[in-house]
């Protein structure tokens, strides 16, 4: 994968080139959005901005319009003209055609897309999966992805898990969806910590204030890092299954510890 995928991916409207560099400076990678963030009448100008305000391709994803739309062909021409290599295809499902020469983040945000996640993850050129809650619920004829307490409803949690499992089975990263309540930093932190704990590689966001919250959530605490080092060091010494402070340590526990070490640096 040519994309440098860090924990915090920030969406930026593609018709706001004045924000491109600021967004990339703030986040680990930026998603320049030609779809939902841009009004249909502004998409020509957005594509022009894409080709004239250039960023590091290794840290840019361009979200194009969905397969079959009147805009996607022009979007892909602009992406290639700008020299970008990674696109996000919204509402992706098994009907998504190959996109030669481009890496694809398949955004599974419809009923068909979630059910097709395993197939999409195995496609040539697909380098990551992401899921989306609001378009998914809309595709079901529903009205809200969350309950009155703010927690995801069962169908959204099922979709999230399905996409994560499909990506892991194919050996590619999974990206967690955005937290729409901009002021709810506590809720964002809890969801991002859960995402890191279960194996998501990154969380997307729509506001710069969410970037540091996500990065902190993905970073292990000093205590977690120290314990992980202790487990890995003990495994080198003992091998196989062993006891550490009365706790059984076997292969999965060692792999958990190794994952924590890979997620460093530690949380401040």
């Amino acid at each position: 994968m040519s994309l440098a995928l860090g924990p915090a991916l920030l969406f930026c409207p593609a018709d706001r080139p004045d924000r491109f560099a600021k967004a990339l400076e703030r986040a680990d990678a930026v998603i320049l959005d030609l779809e939902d963030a841009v009004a249909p009448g502004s998409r020509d100008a957005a594509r022009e901005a894409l080709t004239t305000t250039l960023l590091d391709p290794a840290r840019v994803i361009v979200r194009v319009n969905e397969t079959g739309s009147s805009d996607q062909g022009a979007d892909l021409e602009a992406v290639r003209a700008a020299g970008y290599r990674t696109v996000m295809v919204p509402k992706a499902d098994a009907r998504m055609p190959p996109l030669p020469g481009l890496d694809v983040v398949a955004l599974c945000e419809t009923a068909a897309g979630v059910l097709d996640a395993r197939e999409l993850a195995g496609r040539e050129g697909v380098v990551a999966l992401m899921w989306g809650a609001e378009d998914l619920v809309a595709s079901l004829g529903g009205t809200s992805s969350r309950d009155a307490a703010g927690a995801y409803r069962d169908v959204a949690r099922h979709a999230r898990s399905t996409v994560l499992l499909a990506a892991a089975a194919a050996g590619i990263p999974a990206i967690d969806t955005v937290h729409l309540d901009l002021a709810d930093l506590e809720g964002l932190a809890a969801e991002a910590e859960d995402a890191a704990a279960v194996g998501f590689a990154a969380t997307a966001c729509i506001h710069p204030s969410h970037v540091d919250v996500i990065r902190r959530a993905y970073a292990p605490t000093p205590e977690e890092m120290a314990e992980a080092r202790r487990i890995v060091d003990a495994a080198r010494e003992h091998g196989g299954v062993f006891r550490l402070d009365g706790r059984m340590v076997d292969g999965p526990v060692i792999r958990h510890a190794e994952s924590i070490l890979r997620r460093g640096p530690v949380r401040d």
Side-chain angles (χ1 to χ4, degrees), residues 7-8 24-29 59 210-220 267:
L24 188 59
E25 180 182 350
R26 184 67 183 267
D28 298 300
R59 296 176 59 209
H210 285 194
V211 169
D212 287 342
V213 176
I214 292 168
R215 283 176 172 161
R216 179 175 172 79
Y218 273 78
R267 190 179 301 183

Side-chain angles (χ1 to χ4, degrees), residues 1-3 57 60 62 76-89 97-105 123-127:
M1 182 171 65
S2 59
L3 180 68
V60 173
V62 181
L76 293 172
E77 286 182 13
V79 168
R80 291 186 169 102
Y84 293 128
R85 302 187 292 266
T86 307
V87 296
M88 178 180 289
V89 177
L99 298 178
L102 294 173
D103 290 340
V104 175
V105 178
R123 291 271 189 92
E124 185 176 355
V126 173
V127 297

Side-chain angles (χ1 to χ4, degrees), residues 20-21 24 32 48-57 60 78 81-84:
F20 288 6
L24 188 59
L32 301 179
E48 177 67 19
L50 201 70
T51 60
T52 56
T53 308
L54 301 180
L55 304 174
D56 177 6
V60 173
Y84 293 128

Side-chain angles (χ1 to χ4, degrees), residues 172-216:
I172 62 175
I175 301 168
D176 204 12
T177 195
V178 300
H179 192 81
L180 291 178
D181 188 343
L182 299 184
D184 181 26
L185 299 184
E186 184 176 338
L188 168 66
E191 288 181 2
E193 286 177 3
D194 180 76
V198 297
F200 279 95
T203 293
C205 59
I206 55 174
H207 194 274
S209 66
H210 285 194
V211 169
D212 287 342
V213 176
I214 292 168
R215 283 176 172 161
R216 179 175 172 79

Side-chain angles (χ1 to χ4, degrees), residues 102-143:
L102 294 173
D103 290 340
V104 175
V105 178
L107 176 48
C108 303
E109 54 180 347
T110 64
V114 171
L115 293 177
D116 292 342
R118 181 68 184 271
E119 179 181 345
L120 287 167
R123 291 271 189 92
E124 185 176 355
V126 173
V127 297
L129 296 185
M130 179 174 162
W131 79 287
E134 305 313 317
D135 279 292
L136 170 64
V137 171
S139 80
L140 300 173
T143 58

